[in-house]
């Protein structure tokens, strides 16, 4: 049974299912949710919104991360479980794997994909990359 479980959490319904799965499947484990701020998103924001958006993208991303962590705590609280939440910046798959290695994670749990549209494709590739490159068990919840 894993002692340290990392749950990739982006606030999507599948990430909520992944968190619930981790809570129910690994009741004695220390749980941490991770949200990765992807700098690539700033490029998309600038192209669609111009320079004013570029100046605020990181603050907006940190605010979005705080809201997502709050949702994760709500899901855990509904199960009377405490969890830690972290925000990292980088390429999502690499950042999740690096965090897991650096913090001796025993298990990663994540949704099969995140949001919809283009983001769904990008996040689907994150789950695939994490699964292929991890040196420890990864559970993908669909």
């Amino acid at each position: 049974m894993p002692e340290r479980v990392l749950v990739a959490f982006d606030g999507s319904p599948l990430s909520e299912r992944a968190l619930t799965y981790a809570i129910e499947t690994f009741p004695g484990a220390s749980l941490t949710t991770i949200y990765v701020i992807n700098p690539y998103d700033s490029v998309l924001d600038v192209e669609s919104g111009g320079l004013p958006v570029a100046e605020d993208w990181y603050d907006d991303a940190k605010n979005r991360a705080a809201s997502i962590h709050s949702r994760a705590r709500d899901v855990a609280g509904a199960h009377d479980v405490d969890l830690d939440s972290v925000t990292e910046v980088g390429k999502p798959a690499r950042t999740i794997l690096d965090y897991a290695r650096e913090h001796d994670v025993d298990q990663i749990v994540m949704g099969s994909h995140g949001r919809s549209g283009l983001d769904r494709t990008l996040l689907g590739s994150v789950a695939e990359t994490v699964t292929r490159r991890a040196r420890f068990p990864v559970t993908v919840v669909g």
Side-chain angles (χ1 to χ4, degrees):
M1 191 67 92
E3 292 180 24
R4 288 171 300 285
V5 176
L6 181 64
V7 181
F9 194 85
D10 65 4
S12 68
L14 279 178
S15 70
E16 288 187 22
R17 283 168 80 189
L19 179 55
T20 300
Y21 173 88
I23 290 167
E24 293 173 351
T25 306
F26 309 113
S30 170
L31 295 176
T32 301
T33 56
I34 185 170
Y35 176 75
V36 180
I37 295 173
N38 187 351
Y40 177 74
D41 291 342
S42 70
V43 173
L44 296 176
D45 289 346
V46 168
E47 289 193 10
S48 66
L51 190 56
V53 172
E55 294 172 356
D56 296 332
W57 85 266
Y58 187 63
D59 288 335
D60 292 344
K62 289 191 304 185
N63 290 336
R64 186 170 45 254
S67 175
I68 287 169
H69 289 313
S70 177
R71 180 64 193 137
R73 283 189 298 278
D74 290 345
V75 170
H79 292 86
D80 289 327
V81 170
D82 290 326
L83 59 82
D84 293 319
S85 295
V86 297
T87 301
E88 298 288 331
V89 177
K91 292 181 178 180
R94 177 179 294 164
T95 303
I96 291 166
L97 289 166
D98 288 347
Y99 183 91
R101 276 190 291 273
E102 292 167 8
H103 293 86
D104 296 321
V105 167
D106 303 308
Q107 175 87 34
I108 295 176
V109 179
M110 61 192 313
S112 59
H113 58 271
R115 297 165 244 155
S116 60
L118 177 61
D119 284 340
R120 175 181 177 175
T121 302
L122 295 173
L123 291 171
S125 67
V126 171
E128 178 184 348
T129 301
V130 169
T131 302
R132 280 189 291 112
R133 295 187 180 166
R135 301 278 187 241
F136 34 76
V138 177
T139 301
V140 179
V141 177

